[in-house]
Structure formats: structure tokens, C-alpha cells
């Protein structure tokens, strides 16, 4: 992933959670898992969305659109509440280090 981030010039930092402390603190259970935080003025960042990217799955023929995460981003930026129920991510389980 670090090579891909460099190759495609990601405009954001790519971080590797070697100790898995961050994943555990966030309550992550699978990959990919999406967290969207928002900031309101001087208040600290707060978790706004934690859920799936969209309804696509490897075997369901639903196109990959990013609809759920995109809608959450739009709501966060416009100051609206989420008008839908957040669905949990579905993916490969995280292989925790001993």
C-alpha cells in the first residue's frame, strides 16, 4: 500500500498501524472499514460515520459507487444529520497480532 500511495501520489498521508493499537481503539473488525470524523468549530473532532462504503460485495453484482460514504461526507459538509441507517462494513476480518 505504501508503494501504491507513492505511485498514485495520494494527496493525504498513508499510515500503517503496525502495533494495531489504533484499529483496536476504533473498534475495527474488518477491512475495509470506514470512519468519517467531523469538526464543529472549536469542539474536538467527533465520529460522524462508521460503516460500509456501499452495498457492493464481491459476489452480488452491485456496482461499486461509494454511495454510503459519499452521502455521509455530503451530510457532514452541509451540517445535516445522516438520513439513513449506517450499515456495518463487510469484508475480511482483521488478523490480530498476538
Amino acid at each position: 500500500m505504501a508503494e501504491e500511495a507513492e505511485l498514485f501520489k495520494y494527496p493525504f498521508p498513508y499510515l500503517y498501524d503496525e502495533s494495531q493499537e489504533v484499529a483496536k481503539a476504533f473498534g475495527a473488525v474488518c477491512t475495509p472499514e470506514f470512519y468519517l470524523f467531523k469538526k464543529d468549530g472549536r469542539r474536538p473532532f467527533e465520529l460522524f460515520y462508521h460503516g460500509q462504503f456501499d452495498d457492493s460485495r464481491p459476489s452480488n453484482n452491485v456496482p461499486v459507487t461509494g454511495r454510503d460514504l459519499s452521502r455521509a461526507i455530503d451530510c457532514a459538509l452541509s451540517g445535516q444529520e445522516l438520513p439513513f441507517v449506517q450499515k456495518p462494513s463487510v469484508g475480511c476480518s482483521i488478523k490480530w497480532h498476538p
Side-chain angles (χ1 to χ4, degrees):
M1 284 299 301
E3 290 174 6
E4 181 176 307
E6 187 174 326
L7 176 69
F8 292 105
K9 310 264 188 268
Y10 288 2
F12 51 84
Y14 174 75
L15 306 174
Y16 177 64
D17 182 19
E18 186 171 2
S19 69
Q20 298 183 317
E21 289 179 36
V22 175
K24 289 175 183 174
F26 279 35
V29 295
C30 67
T31 62
E33 193 154 0
F34 297 91
Y35 297 83
L36 175 64
F37 291 85
K38 74 174 195 171
K39 182 143 177 63
D40 187 12
R42 297 175 64 116
R43 294 175 34 203
F45 282 95
E46 64 182 79
L47 180 62
F48 185 74
Y49 177 79
H50 173 203
Q52 69 175 11
F53 190 60
D54 58 27
D55 287 324
S56 67
R57 302 291 182 268
S59 61
N60 71 0
N61 294 323
V62 172
V64 176
T65 62
R67 185 172 190 263
D68 289 38
L69 184 57
S70 293
R71 288 177 66 199
I73 291 168
D74 289 343
C75 288
L77 292 174
S78 65
Q80 299 174 18
E81 295 297 319
L82 291 173
F84 60 94
V85 175
Q86 297 178 45
K87 297 177 187 175
S89 293
V90 175
C92 297
S93 63
I94 294 174
K95 310 312 182 255
W96 299 108
H97 299 300

